[in-house]
Amino acid sequence: MTQPLLQVNDLAVRYGDVQVVWKADLVVEEGAIVAMIGSNGAGKTTLLRAISGMLPPYGGEIIFAGEIVPASAPPEFVRRGLIHVPEGRRLFARLSVWDNLMLGAYLRDDKAAIRQDVERVFALFPRLRERRWQDATTLSGGEQQMCAIGRGLMAAPRLLIIDELSLGLAPRVVDELVDALRKVNAAGTSLLVVEQDVATALEFADHAYIVDRGRTVASGTAAVIAADPAVRTAYLGL
Amino acid sequence: MLWLQVLVNGLALGGLYACIAAGFSLVWGVLNIINILHGSLIVLGGYLAFFAHLQLGISPFLFAPIAGMLLFLPGFAIQRVIISPVMARPVLMTLVLTFGLTLFLDNLMLVAFTADYRKINLQPPLGVLEFGDVVLPLDRLYATGIGLVSVGALWLVLRSTQLGRAIVAVRMDRDAASLMGINVRLTHAIAFGLGTAMAGVAGALLAAIFPISSLSSSGYLGKAFVICVLGGLGSVPGVVLGGFALGVIESYGALAVGPENALTMSFLLLIALLALRPTGLLGRKGFT
Ligand SMILES: Nc1ncnc2c1ncn2[C@@H]1O[C@H](COP(=O)(O)OP(=O)(O)OP(=O)(O)O)[C@@H](O)[C@H]1O
Ligand SMILES: [Mg+2]
């Protein structure tokens, strides 16, 4: 059996004395699209921040591409291709779309490949090309999310983690983003997406995890999760 | 034609003044540190240029970039070892810390070089350019020109290199910057090092035209401060504007109230400006 791209075992995360994630177990297979759903404050963002090295785990381990990644060293995670598009996009103000994209490629020095990847991002999101000299934080919400995803893609990710893909965006824009991400996935990048809109998430992903009060409480193929009566009442309002 | 001569005198210092303030503004804008040490580092750059000229016969204009390179590493180390541990504390903490460092460095220079004023005597003197009644000393033209070129180089680094982008990114959003794989602490140290390097360049250029002394650091710090506020914190065009503004204001001030009161006048202007437009003329957050 081939090993998964990302494996999270028994992860626990604290902010000081406040424990937020108690026990998270998660697997992302190479090439998969995995959705993570859960109510507000369940600990999804915290879990992702630990997975990308922004927070030191209090317990458990993160295995990426077969290797345990040393705790809390974001550049190590980026170098290995584990890239996190944060909640709220967090584009760099006062810098152009172009500069933001180039910062995504900060640890790379393969100039030719970087240029190719910019072209790829512009092909995926043509509006970014038109606006490439504009201050990134003056873009519309949808364009900002495109820029944030594009910035993530510039790191040549093996796994792209996206926190709150559709928050605050019009359905049409969300469709556009989902289409683009399908292309990204088809080109070989695995995806781990936190998504408020559970219906969209379960349609987009092939696998889903449910996070509740700091624990991964259920997982399965998206179809199975979508059919789960508990999920249907709690998250789909059916 | 007196007013024209006075204008030329002021403008002839503008580029040098921009150079004095650029590193101070960079460190303030990017690291949110008011680096009191900046004036002493300028003096140190001046002494290095003085001795390079005295012992090795190197022209201070040629030595300016070397002074910059020599002062980069101490700045880098000071940030990494001394300031970095208190970066998360309120701005007053780093202010007090750099104030302590400046007392230390000033006294060290006092012991090493005494308080005597020293002047580089360029042999042969560079002479002056004459346009009718208006005279422009060539040493000032060189100092201002090289000062401007150095500030321009800093601007290019910040605007169009990965390092420059990283410096701005770290200023704007530290967490998001580390998500890019940027080493925040290293970037802070490099930015601080660039600031001290600019102080070194400015010091060498100052030593080419003015006498230097280990007691003059606070005067340079004051000028840097005024320039930042005049032009607005956090931008290279701002320090250039502020540098030329201070040069001209001081020049007319010297004419109106006597040279000894020119700096006082600049500070009065500073207070007025702070009251009217606290972000300066071109002021904004960050550094570009
Ligand atoms: N920096 C912090 N310090 C202390 N507690 C925090 C911090 N950040 C988040 N928390 C707490 O951790 C818990 C989980 O927050 P988290 O942001 O991970 O949830 P989430 O599942 O992403 O929620 P949402 O869907 O609203 O984004 C919350 O109770 C929150 O108050
Ligand atoms: Mg969240």
Side-chain angles (χ1 to χ4, degrees):
Chain A
M1 203 189 114
T2 58
Q3 64 188 359
L5 180 58
L6 174 72
Q7 186 170 356
V8 173
N9 294 331
D10 212 5
L11 198 70
V13 190
R14 292 181 161 196
Y15 291 108
D17 287 338
V18 184
Q19 184 142 355
V20 168
V21 174
W22 293 87
K23 185 181 188 315
D25 297 280
L26 185 89
V27 168
V28 179
E29 298 290 347
E30 187 92 55
I33 302 180
V34 175
M36 191 190 288
I37 54 189
S39 47
N40 293 118
K44 305 179 296 294
T45 297
T46 305
L47 178 53
L48 295 189
R49 283 168 59 79
I51 292 177
S52 60
M54 295 295 293
L55 285 173
Y58 176 67
E61 59 185 5
I62 299 160
I63 303 170
F64 189 69
E67 289 175 51
I68 295 184
V69 190
S72 196
E76 270 309 304
F77 290 71
V78 175
R79 202 169 278 123
R80 287 161 202 245
L82 194 159
I83 306 302
H84 181 169
V85 178
E87 189 175 357
R89 290 130 207 172
R90 308 282 285 267
L91 296 175
F92 298 110
R94 300 278 306 282
L95 290 177
S96 64
V97 169
W98 177 268
D99 285 339
N100 271 274
L101 292 178
M102 284 303 140
L103 279 164
Y106 182 73
L107 288 180
R108 298 171 62 187
D109 43 22
D110 43 346
K111 281 221 168 63
I114 290 175
R115 202 159 313 124
Q116 256 178 10
D117 282 346
V118 179
E119 281 308 316
R120 192 174 141 228
V121 169
F122 285 159
L124 218 47
F125 304 116
R127 268 184 284 171
L128 292 185
R129 187 200 300 275
E130 287 164 30
R131 301 184 173 275
R132 63 189 181 282
W133 305 125
Q134 188 173 323
D135 182 327
T137 54
T138 63
L139 298 173
S140 75
E143 289 162 352
Q144 289 198 28
Q145 187 64 293
M146 292 172 191
C147 188
I149 292 171
R151 187 178 66 177
L153 290 174
M154 289 306 297
R158 293 182 69 182
L159 173 64
L160 190 66
I161 297 177
I162 305 175
D163 196 358
E164 303 293 7
L165 175 66
S166 74
L167 197 66
L169 303 180
R172 192 178 42 78
V173 180
V174 177
D175 288 346
E176 217 176 308
L177 291 171
V178 167
D179 280 349
L181 287 173
R182 280 193 204 287
K183 286 183 200 159
V184 167
N185 179 248
T189 302
S190 311
L191 301 173
L192 172 58
V193 180
V194 165
E195 177 53 51
Q196 291 279 328
D197 178 352
V198 176
T200 301
L202 292 179
E203 194 198 300
F204 175 40
D206 24 71
H207 219 86
Y209 283 84
I210 296 181
V211 179
D212 187 33
R213 277 165 287 173
R215 292 174 175 83
T216 43
V217 292
S219 73
T221 63
V224 168
I225 294 283
D228 184 331
V231 173
R232 292 172 71 85
T233 42
Y235 298 103
L236 290 168
L238 297 174
Chain B
M1 291 307 263
L2 181 60
W3 68 272
L4 193 59
Q5 178 66 58
V6 173
L7 181 66
V8 168
N9 289 351
L11 292 177
L13 287 177
L16 176 56
Y17 279 5
C19 190
I20 286 180
F24 181 73
S25 179
L26 171 72
V27 168
W28 193 351
V30 172
L31 289 89
N32 199 25
I33 293 173
I34 299 174
N35 181 18
I36 305 293
L37 185 59
H38 194 73
S40 308
L41 291 164
I42 290 175
V43 174
L44 182 60
Y47 274 115
L48 291 175
F50 176 81
F51 287 108
H53 182 259
L54 191 72
Q55 310 284 343
L56 309 169
I58 304 175
S59 151
F61 298 116
L62 287 180
F63 185 75
I66 303 174
M69 286 179 228
L70 288 175
L71 284 199
F72 174 84
L73 216 60
F76 182 94
I78 287 171
Q79 169 63 29
R80 195 85 215 224
V81 178
I82 303 177
I83 301 180
S84 181
V86 298
M87 276 295 280
R89 311 285 290 279
V91 69
L92 192 63
M93 188 72 199
T94 49
L95 190 99
V96 171
L97 190 60
T98 56
F99 181 65
L101 289 172
T102 208
L103 289 180
F104 178 75
L105 181 57
D106 277 0
N107 282 295
L108 205 66
M109 290 194 289
L110 199 57
V111 171
F113 310 132
T114 76
D116 295 347
Y117 278 90
R118 306 199 196 212
K119 174 86 180 71
I120 292 177
N121 291 309
L122 291 171
Q123 287 302 339
L126 287 171
V128 298
L129 286 179
E130 291 182 46
F131 308 93
D133 292 344
V134 178
V135 181
L136 174 59
L138 269 177
D139 55 358
R140 295 198 177 196
L141 185 65
Y142 285 4
T144 257
I146 296 170
L148 272 185
V149 168
S150 314
V151 172
L154 177 69
W155 190 67
L156 271 184
V157 166
L158 291 174
R159 284 300 288 243
S160 50
T161 66
Q162 269 308 55
L163 172 65
R165 288 187 193 109
I167 288 176
V168 179
V170 163
R171 169 63 178 133
M172 289 301 164
D173 189 335
R174 274 179 210 184
D175 275 1
S178 27
L179 284 178
M180 305 296 109
I182 296 169
N183 182 331
V184 173
R185 270 162 39 101
L186 182 68
T187 307
H188 277 160
I190 293 173
F192 198 91
L194 284 176
T196 59
M198 290 303 291
V201 174
L205 295 175
L206 272 168
I209 48 182
F210 295 116
I212 51 161
S213 150
S214 13
L215 298 179
S216 38
S217 66
S218 60
Y220 298 138
L221 179 69
K223 282 188 203 299
F225 198 84
V226 174
I227 291 163
C228 281
V229 175
L230 276 176
L233 190 64
S235 88
V236 170
V239 289
V240 172
L241 182 76
F244 279 96
L246 180 66
V248 171
I249 290 164
E250 269 190 6
S251 187
Y252 281 107
L255 182 70
V257 296
E260 66 281 7
N261 296 320
L263 191 64
T264 313
M265 213 194 64
S266 313
F267 272 100
L268 284 177
L269 189 89
L270 168 72
I271 292 167
L273 207 87
L274 277 175
L276 293 174
R277 206 180 140 73
T279 52
L281 299 177
L282 298 181
R284 26 190 194 177
K285 192 184 169 201
F287 200 90
T288 51

